[in-house]
Structures are given as C-alpha cells and as structure tokens.
Amino acid sequence: QVQLVESGGGLVQPGGSLRLSCAVSGHIGQTDWMYWVRQGPGTGFEWVAAFYTKTNTTNYGDFVKGRFTISLDKAKNMMYLQMNRLQSEDAAVYHCALTRGPTLVRRTIPLATYSYWGQGTQVTVSP
C-alpha cells in the first residue's frame, strides 16, 4: 500500500517558481510510473509530468514542457515538481499519483483511475 502527501503549493506571481514535494509512504517499485496531476478551474484532471522508475524516463505535457521538471529521490521516497515561469493557466490543485507497470496512462484519466493518489496542494498564480 502507498500513501502520497503533497506539499509546497502557494501563491506566486506570473513568472515565479515553486517546488512541489510528494512524500511517499510505502513501496515505490522498479516498474512504476509516477505522475503530477493537476485540475484547474473548470477543467478535468491531466497529468503534466510523468516519471518511469525503471528507466528514469520523463514525459511532460505540451503546455509545461521546458518549464516544469519532475524528479524522484528514491533514497528519501520523495518526488518533486520544479515549476518555473509559472503562468496563470498553471493555477490548479496538483496531485501526485502512481501506477504500477510499464504503461504510461492517458493524460486525462480521472484521478481515481490511478493506483494511488494524494489529496493535492493548491497552486495559485496571481499578480
């Protein structure tokens, strides 16, 4: 069993930066995909960054490519999302999530479809 707890959200100005953290309680497997999933106002869920533990492969949504970086510290059971040059469109509740196995899920699946997910941390982008 896995528990995921996010932290690090807050209020930033456009162009600012935040680093989100996800504390993982439980086993991170050698063939897991880990994700940062966000839900903005009036939108569904979408993962913005994904990390494959077997190969350290990373994938990013088009709107955050080049601005966000996902990383995993396996020794500390911590996952991070470094967010730079934040835009108003990035305002959302950000969740960390995990799926078992080698398949990268579609970007817009419901949060409850993931094997495990956290309750999220809110990111607000405002002047």
Side-chain angles (χ1 to χ4, degrees):
Q1 296 295 320
V2 173
Q3 184 179 18
L4 307 171
V5 180
E6 305 91 339
S7 62
L11 173 65
V12 297
Q13 296 181 351
S17 297
L18 281 175
R19 189 182 74 163
L20 306 182
S21 299
C22 173
V24 183
S25 298
H27 177 65
I28 300 176
Q30 294 183 341
T31 55
D32 291 347
W33 278 97
M34 302 189 70
Y35 311 81
W36 283 99
V37 183
R38 73 183 182 189
Q39 184 181 36
T43 66
F45 294 100
E46 61 174 357
W47 63 254
V48 298
F51 185 100
Y52 189 40
T53 60
K54 183 176 181 179
T55 60
N56 293 346
T57 300
T58 59
N59 285 270
Y60 297 94
D62 290 340
F63 293 129
V64 308
K65 179 67 176 179
R67 299 188 296 117
F68 290 10
T69 303
I70 187 172
S71 61
L72 176 66
D73 187 336
K74 295 180 180 179
K76 296 182 178 180
N77 261 32
M78 293 288 292
M79 186 173 67
Y80 304 96
L81 183 68
Q82 179 65 48
M83 304 185 296
N84 298 324
R85 303 192 306 278
L86 284 160
Q87 306 167 6
S88 60
E89 294 81 5
D90 297 317
V93 176
Y94 285 75
H95 306 259
C96 55
L98 180 151
T99 59
R100 304 293 193 189
T103 301
L104 176 65
V105 302
R106 294 182 177 180
R107 292 188 62 242
T108 59
I109 63 170
L111 190 63
T113 307
Y114 295 85
S115 300
Y116 303 95
W117 65 93
Q119 296 306 301
T121 185
Q122 185 169 346
V123 172
T124 303
V125 184
S126 179

